[in-house]
Amino acid sequence: MLKSTFKYFSLLFVCFLFFSCNTIKKAKKEENLSLPSRRLGKITASIVKRNSKELLPREYSFVLITQNKKLRIHHKLLGDNIWIFFDDEDRKNLISAIENYLENYKKGFSEKKQKAYFGKVPSQMVWGLLNAAHTAEPTMRFEYENLKNNKPYFIIANATVKSLKDDSNCPAVKMAFSPAQCKKVLDLIGEENVSSIMQNIKKDFEEYDEQDNFEEDIFDTKTELSNEEFNEEFD
């Protein structure tokens, strides 16, 4: 009886160790390197006033979340801060849509205007007066619309959908970019710029250069400064 009890508790102990090790391994697997986000830049473009073709100026800020290469676009609408997130693949789809728009702008739009003329992608929208109070997952359409002086503008728009956490509805946004503004967007979110940023982060992270006579080099440089400048430099 005593031997059976001992075997039983031994088995429980082994199981406990096994699951504990698995938990630690899983935790290690899920651990990610925390990388800083990179501000790509800001562009002044427009929003389209609801139920009209009037353009209102808006500042859009573009941020690359380097940990997963998501693109975040921020602007303000009716007092709310609005952040729209695109996965890396959908950032590339946005680039293709803008390039397609610019090509059509040069040649002329041969087909009849329609919704999602240049495609559509899933997105995540976060909004709130002061912070990220609500979250939804609207589909963002890429299209064009003839607006100011009957000229075609590139449009990023969505229909309102329910929030994931409450009964509120996400804003229906309609962002408008001229050809010149689109080219600026491409400079910010394009693959060349994003790849360069990721390579620089990798380079900074892996940089390791031990310099001989480090202290001597510093003091050699300081000999050219006056005593006052030297003291200010090290304060």
Side-chain angles (χ1 to χ4, degrees):
M1 178 70 178
L2 185 60
K3 191 180 286 187
S4 298
T5 305
F6 178 76
K7 284 183 178 178
Y8 175 75
F9 281 107
S10 297
L11 183 61
L12 280 178
F13 181 71
V14 170
C15 289
F16 172 78
L17 285 178
F18 176 78
F19 286 113
S20 296
C21 289
N22 272 353
T23 303
I24 292 170
K25 284 179 183 177
K26 284 181 181 177
K28 285 183 178 177
K29 276 185 179 180
E30 291 173 359
E31 184 179 354
N32 287 319
L33 182 65
S34 179
L35 295 173
S37 295
R38 285 286 187 269
R39 296 181 185 275
L40 300 174
K42 295 180 179 181
I43 291 174
T44 300
S46 306
I47 60 168
V48 184
K49 191 174 180 180
R50 196 167 184 178
N51 299 323
S52 78
K53 291 192 174 186
E54 183 183 354
L55 292 175
L56 302 175
R58 257 330 158 263
E59 183 178 75
Y60 295 95
S61 62
F62 297 80
V63 172
L64 177 68
I65 302 172
T66 56
Q67 190 161 333
N68 50 27
K69 293 176 78 174
K70 280 189 176 183
L71 173 67
R72 185 180 77 203
I73 304 175
H74 169 266
H75 74 288
K76 289 189 175 184
L77 179 67
L78 299 176
D80 275 337
N81 284 286
I82 299 174
W83 296 269
I84 300 170
F85 296 81
F86 293 106
D87 286 337
D88 185 44
E89 190 60 34
D90 296 321
R91 173 185 64 85
K92 293 174 183 176
N93 289 332
L94 172 57
I95 291 170
S96 296
I98 293 175
E99 290 174 340
N100 197 354
Y101 158 77
L102 291 173
E103 191 64 27
N104 275 268
Y105 174 72
K106 288 178 183 176
K107 295 180 178 179
F109 294 88
S110 57
E111 297 179 28
K112 186 179 179 181
K113 183 175 72 71
Q114 58 187 358
K115 285 191 174 183
Y117 187 89
F118 302 113
K120 55 186 177 181
V121 297
S123 73
Q124 183 183 60
M125 181 185 289
V126 178
W127 74 98
L129 184 61
L130 297 175
N131 53 21
H134 312 281
T135 304
E137 294 180 343
T139 296
M140 304 304 295
R141 308 187 311 271
F142 305 142
E143 52 202 38
Y144 79 93
E145 186 172 344
N146 294 322
L147 297 169
K148 189 176 181 180
N149 298 324
N150 203 35
K151 291 183 177 179
Y153 282 73
F154 181 76
I155 303 293
I156 303 175
N158 70 285
T160 184
V161 297
K162 285 280 186 184
S163 169
L164 298 177
K165 297 179 181 178
D166 51 50
D167 292 331
S168 61
N169 292 322
C170 77
V173 304
K174 197 170 185 180
M175 301 178 271
F177 299 86
S178 69
Q181 292 158 356
C182 279
K183 289 175 183 176
K184 291 179 181 179
V185 173
L186 288 181
D187 288 339
L188 298 183
I189 72 171
E191 200 59 34
E192 184 178 346
N193 191 36
V194 169
S195 295
S196 175
I197 289 169
M198 297 304 294
Q199 286 171 9
N200 287 335
I201 290 174
K202 187 173 184 291
K203 181 182 175 183
D204 291 343
F205 175 70
E206 294 177 348
E207 188 174 32
Y208 184 85
D209 183 13
E210 185 175 350
Q211 186 177 337
D212 293 332
N213 303 322
F214 180 69
E215 291 186 6
E216 291 179 14
D217 288 344
I218 291 178
F219 282 95
D220 284 345
T221 303
K222 296 301 176 186
T223 55
E224 299 177 4
L225 300 175
S226 67
N227 289 334
E228 184 180 347
E229 289 173 324
F230 179 84
N231 290 330
E232 286 179 357
E233 188 81 0
F234 279 85
D235 282 345

